[in-house]
Amino acid sequence: MPSIAERLNNVSVSASVAMTQKARELTAQGIQVISLSSGEPDFPTPPHAIEAAHAAALAGDTKYPPIEGTPALKQAIQGKFKRDNNLDYEPSQILVAGGGKQVIFNAMLATLNPGDEVVIPTPAWISYADIVKFAGGVPVAVPCSQDNQFKLKAEDLDAAITPKTKWLLLNYPSNPTGSACSRQEMAAIAEVMLQHPDVWIMTDDMYEHLIYDGFEFCTIAEVEPRLYDRVLTVNGVSKAYAMTGWRMGYCAGPKALIKAVSNVNTQNSGGVCTLTQAAATAVLNGPQDLLAERAAIYQQRRDFVLERLAGVAGLTCHKPEGAFYLFPNIGEFIGRTSAKGRRIGNDTDFCMALMEEHHVATVQGAAYGLSPFFRLSYATSVEMLEQGCARIAEFCAGLR
Ligand code: PLP
């Protein structure tokens, strides 16, 4: 048989996709699975986005789009950066792609030479390391401990940077921990980066609007304007506006970098679907009240789950500032055996046993580079969360 490319050897299937697959299999057998593994808002897309897409289709906006984004969408993104982040970007500094994921992928392809290093505060979104490897780079995980709310310490960052470092990748609020940085914490990171002028900084601000208890979101280019020329600010409509299926992400940064990423875009995409671009323009320009309304609902869910988990002996969980994930520590349970005789040697065993015995889908911390933890998504109804927490409690109580 003809062979598959070697570049795929190091690239793994995402663990959350694997867990979702397992959940589907059990569901197909008629089992009611409580899915707390998906990183997807359960809200609908705002109606005005759908109407804009419909109107665009009826108006014949169905030809090849400008690959870097329609002028209207780039203008909407320019307005968003000014409104939410007090950042000024010209349209030539803005680029659109098929989701935040494609933005990150193309940025890495555009900049990494073989062996270039990318510093990734860890635990981190599963895809970062794989994307870096795909692009020929070397992911360098910097452990961020629970003691420091899973946030990057300035001294650890400084120690991780070598002459081969090409990027620092930031993601606050974070997937999988929900941790976010205050201005002061971000300024400390920025201070280190000022000492390393040859390193780009990518900030993945996908969870910007999912932030609670009045915590103020901040992004590094705004916190430290002296870094503006080295920062690629990435964002999208997937999480904020519940538009995961529309596939649109965007970024802004220095012109030369945007041009390079745009060159990759023109070869691996024909641009983002015209109807999606119309829908994204509508949500970015439209009323923004839904962001705070939804954040309030997520906050209630977070507090609900935290309260339930606090009643589970052996679990400890920090209270995150944002996103829709919790990252409980299950260290107490390692080495125990489940009610049905499964040995819990690590967090993967824990999540698998929880899935097989109590039919709750979560994702093991190992997938994000930190054990022994698991990620739980509360982007689902309170009824589901209640059942999920009850099952988790029952499962943990049965671990001997
Ligand atoms: N960045 C982070 C941190 C994410 O968690 C995700 C999705 O889970 C993405 C990017 C991908 O976003 P998009 O749907 O826009 O590709």
Side-chain angles (χ1 to χ4, degrees):
M1 204 166 88
S3 65
I4 302 296
E6 282 167 18
R7 79 171 65 86
L8 282 183
N9 288 354
N10 289 328
V11 179
S12 50
V13 176
S14 133
S16 65
V17 172
M19 201 44 106
T20 306
Q21 180 63 29
K22 183 85 197 156
R24 283 205 187 108
E25 280 167 32
L26 291 176
T27 307
Q29 293 166 28
I31 294 169
Q32 196 219 0
V33 174
I34 306 288
S35 179
L36 307 180
S37 60
S38 155
E40 180 163 42
D42 58 322
F43 292 106
T45 291
H48 55 284
I50 297 170
E51 281 154 18
H54 188 208
L58 290 175
D61 186 5
T62 53
K63 306 290 189 195
Y64 282 128
I67 291 182
E68 73 283 3
T70 63
L73 177 53
K74 294 215 292 178
Q75 205 179 358
I77 293 168
Q78 184 180 33
K80 176 260 172 285
F81 278 123
K82 189 69 195 161
R83 172 182 69 229
D84 297 339
N85 312 114
N86 196 26
L87 284 172
D88 290 303
Y89 288 112
E90 293 171 21
S92 59
Q93 291 180 276
I94 292 169
L95 186 68
V96 164
K101 192 179 241 181
Q102 196 182 31
V103 170
I104 299 165
F105 195 96
N106 289 355
M108 290 300 163
L109 273 186
T111 53
L112 292 182
N113 289 316
D116 281 353
E117 294 174 356
V118 178
V119 170
I120 306 176
T122 301
W125 182 40
I126 296 174
S127 292
Y128 293 142
D130 281 328
I131 290 175
V132 168
K133 286 189 257 174
F134 214 105
V138 179
V140 176
V142 180
C144 301
S145 70
Q146 186 176 13
D147 299 344
N148 199 42
Q149 292 84 45
F150 307 106
K151 296 180 200 179
L152 179 62
K153 284 189 184 156
E155 61 269 30
D156 294 342
L157 168 61
D158 197 40
I161 295 177
T162 74
K164 290 197 150 190
T165 307
K166 192 52 117 7
W167 285 96
L168 162 67
L169 221 164
L170 298 175
N171 171 226
Y172 297 110
S174 144
N175 174 6
T177 66
S179 293
C181 279
S182 66
R183 284 189 85 80
Q184 205 183 357
E185 288 162 337
M186 194 62 85
I189 292 172
E191 196 54 43
V192 174
M193 296 315 290
L194 285 170
Q195 312 308 316
H196 298 282
D198 296 327
V199 182
W200 297 104
I201 302 149
M202 182 185 295
T203 173
D204 175 350
D205 295 347
M206 207 53 80
Y207 296 94
E208 164 179 16
H209 293 294
L210 304 175
I211 205 137
Y212 315 123
D213 300 323
F215 195 89
E216 270 186 40
F217 172 83
C218 64
T219 192
I220 195 161
E222 191 261 328
V223 170
E224 180 44 87
R226 284 176 291 173
L227 291 174
Y228 176 88
D229 285 333
R230 287 199 277 138
V231 174
L232 187 69
T233 306
V234 179
N235 213 315
V237 292
S238 290
K239 315 286 177 177
Y241 301 97
M243 291 176 69
T244 45
W246 296 77
R247 308 310 306 136
M248 205 289 283
Y250 55 89
C251 62
K255 260 187 213 169
L257 177 61
I258 292 295
K259 179 138 191 355
V261 183
S262 180
N263 284 345
V264 177
N265 259 14
T266 59
Q267 295 304 346
N268 74 1
S269 137
V272 174
C273 166
T274 48
L275 311 186
T276 290
Q277 297 206 47
T281 306
V283 287
L284 290 172
N285 285 341
Q288 301 296 306
D289 338 357
L290 86 156
L291 296 172
E293 286 162 17
R294 290 180 175 182
I297 295 171
Y298 284 124
Q299 182 178 319
Q300 280 169 8
R301 293 171 176 178
R302 178 202 61 175
D303 293 343
F304 176 84
V305 177
L306 278 173
E307 195 196 309
R308 294 297 156 111
L309 295 185
V312 179
L315 274 188
T316 53
C317 190
H318 91 294
K319 185 178 186 177
E321 296 89 356
F324 41 56
Y325 307 109
L326 294 176
F327 204 59
N329 185 322
I330 55 154
E332 275 291 308
F333 301 121
I334 302 302
R336 296 202 195 175
T337 303
S338 74
K340 293 201 175 153
R342 288 185 174 81
R343 201 187 115 74
I344 310 299
N346 54 39
D347 49 19
T348 305
D349 295 343
F350 179 93
C351 290
M352 267 302 159
L354 175 61
M355 177 66 143
E356 306 244 348
E357 297 179 18
H358 290 266
H359 311 133
V360 180
T362 56
V363 186
Q364 62 273 26
Y368 306 95
L370 193 70
S371 294
F373 295 86
F374 72 96
R375 188 193 79 168
L376 176 164
S377 161
Y378 52 88
T380 186
S381 67
V382 171
E383 295 73 47
M384 283 295 156
L385 293 171
E386 183 153 30
Q387 283 194 51
C389 290
R391 292 185 190 192
I392 291 171
E394 211 180 318
F395 174 67
C396 291
L399 294 173
R400 302 272 165 225

